[in-house]
Amino acid sequence: MSGNSKKVFVASRLPKHTGVSGWVAMLPARVERPRLEGSIATDVVIIGAGFAGLSAARRVSQLDPNIRVAVLEAGVVGEGAAGRNSGFIIDLPHEVSSDDYGGDSASKSKQAIFISRSAIALAKGMAEEQGWGGEIFDPCGRYSVAISKEGDRHLVGYAGQLEKLGEEHRLLDAQEIAAITGSRSYTSALFTPGTVIVQPAAYIRGMADCLTQPVTVYEKTPAVAFESTGQGWLVKTPAGSISTDRIVLANNGHAESFGFFKGRLLHIFTYASMSREFDPGRLPGERKWAATPALPMGTTVRRVPGQRGDRILIRSRYTYHAAQIVSEGALRRAGALHDRKFKARFPGLDDVSMEYRWAGAMAVTWNSVPAFGEIERGVFAACGCNGVGATKATASGIATAELMLGHSTELTQIYRSFEAPKALPPQPFTAIGVKANLTFREWNAGDE
């Protein structure tokens, strides 16, 4: 809010995460970067060390390696929403029926693909520079899998769209996808080679740790407020403050916690469960693969190999929470659904229990556009991931860095062409409508 000439923005809430991410639990304990203590000055402050914030920091350092950047992470790097992601950096449409990628507009589809591949290019450059192996960054492609005749039809239709766009793809029948997944529940699949699969918590940790001076990451350092100071801004944290010229909000739905985009962001949570380790010999097929559902709101599945055994990740269920907090009860209900989905796909592993369950946040706009741009003088937003967060948040971070430093690129031109996020209906109509829509779409997805 503002008073006189000074503008003050105070966080009404800080991120709160429900459940333990299996991605984090599988890693060694993190050696945390120090929290900020005392007062410092810097050129740019980035609030949020997830896909958007760290991508923005890397892009700033590429464009001008002399710019001082402070990245503030409210918790521990990798334990927030980014480390709760399913780990798909997707180059092509995620949903075959998405308005964003429909066959009615080849130019719109190509624009979306350009955005996605801009994100992959930044990630790939970092992986090559750091020498990351396939356990962190694997350009192995992905499968879209069907479990019903309707899903089969969607995949055939989607393959037709890809054919028109000149995009490489391959349709698989039930026997072929069973040979890969070890599951006989899938009726068909579509393979596209351009997706990168990451271990999201390891990727985010690695991304933060490869940033070097004059970029500094501070952990357990939430931005609790910021205020204008004439020429710039003063960002306040629990134990310190930073004087800066520019701020990047890379905290997705929590931009609203500072008063931005009020009534324009839908706070949607999705859920994942990860099994305990099992003997790889118990499940035929390849030991590493990643699959998204043919129908929107279906079930994402990954097989994750390990030295002591393999695990299965199941992601399904979407719920709306305006307060950006998920209850343990909601997590339990999602977990029960995951157990049913798991047993339906892998009946031979019916004695393998889930070891980790967690919820992860995303911010969606009504018109499916990012919450992007200069929203106050010197304050820039890279928010509103609209799902597919690893891809879209990365691209938003890149575009924000370029916009902030005055670099006009094809990516910034695309982002600047987006309309603003539309206002949502007043409560309780938004809550009623969103919950009804999510319920219908999950029902429509059926066993998928």
Side-chain angles (χ1 to χ4, degrees), residues 386-408:
N386 287 290
V388 202
T391 309
K392 292 185 177 179
T394 295
S396 291
I398 297 167
T400 300
E402 292 174 346
L403 175 71
M404 179 174 63
L405 299 186
H407 286 254
S408 180

Side-chain angles (χ1 to χ4, degrees), residues 46 50-62 69 122 207 211 248 250 382 393-394 396-402 404:
I46 298 174
F51 290 106
L54 294 174
S55 299
R58 180 170 176 84
R59 189 65 181 130
V60 166
S61 67
Q62 288 175 335
V69 180
L122 181 112
M207 200 173 188
L211 293 169
V248 174
T394 295
S396 291
I398 297 167
T400 300
E402 292 174 346
M404 179 174 63

Side-chain angles (χ1 to χ4, degrees), residues 154-408:
H154 271 271
L155 292 184
V156 171
Y158 186 28
Q161 292 179 12
L162 295 181
E163 189 74 33
K164 292 176 183 176
L165 290 169
E167 292 293 342
E168 185 179 352
H169 62 281
R170 180 167 58 94
L171 281 166
L172 294 82
D173 62 23
Q175 188 173 346
E176 289 172 316
I177 192 61
I180 290 160
T181 64
S183 172
R184 299 206 168 272
S185 63
Y186 296 122
T187 52
S188 66
L190 177 72
F191 177 73
T192 49
T195 289
V196 172
I197 303 300
V198 299
Q199 204 287 29
Y203 174 87
I204 288 295
R205 282 188 184 186
M207 200 173 188
D209 292 343
C210 75
L211 293 169
T212 57
Q213 290 295 331
V215 180
T216 306
V217 177
Y218 297 95
E219 299 186 51
K220 293 184 178 176
T221 305
V224 296
F226 57 91
E227 60 187 46
S228 59
T229 59
Q231 295 302 310
W233 296 90
L234 181 68
V235 180
K236 297 181 179 180
T237 71
S241 63
I242 310 175
S243 298
T244 187
D245 299 324
R246 288 159 289 190
I247 295 172
V248 174
L249 290 179
N251 53 350
N252 215 11
H254 278 279
E256 191 176 85
S257 302
F258 285 98
F260 297 101
F261 305 110
K262 270 194 170 292
R264 296 174 187 271
L265 298 176
L266 293 169
H267 304 293
I268 307 296
F269 284 76
T270 188
Y271 301 82
S273 295
M274 185 175 283
S275 76
R276 64 174 174 82
E277 293 164 322
F278 60 86
D279 180 349
R282 294 189 59 187
L283 182 64
E286 297 178 4
R287 288 190 62 191
K288 186 176 186 180
W289 50 268
T292 53
L295 297 181
M297 310 292 284
T299 305
T300 293
V301 184
R302 282 184 63 174
R303 183 170 177 176
V304 184
Q307 291 183 342
R308 294 180 298 179
D310 292 2
R311 299 177 185 267
I312 296 290
L313 169 88
I314 301 284
R315 192 190 76 172
S316 190
R317 175 59 58 87
Y318 296 83
T319 59
Y320 169 69
H321 300 274
Q324 303 185 63
I325 297 173
V326 167
S327 69
E328 292 291 341
L331 184 59
R332 283 194 300 271
R333 289 188 290 275
L337 174 66
H338 296 167
D339 290 345
R340 293 196 296 273
K341 301 267 190 177
F342 176 70
K343 290 179 180 179
R345 286 158 176 76
F346 307 103
L349 300 177
D350 59 352
D351 62 327
V352 176
S353 60
M354 293 295 169
E355 186 170 5
Y356 305 107
R357 303 191 194 273
W358 65 94
M362 56 185 176
V364 176
T365 60
W366 195 356
N367 48 336
S368 301
V369 296
F372 170 83
E374 189 169 13
I375 51 179
E376 286 281 343
R377 181 189 51 80
V379 180
F380 299 82
C383 303
C385 66
N386 287 290
V388 202
T391 309
K392 292 185 177 179
T394 295
S396 291
I398 297 167
T400 300
E402 292 174 346
L403 175 71
M404 179 174 63
L405 299 186
H407 286 254
S408 180

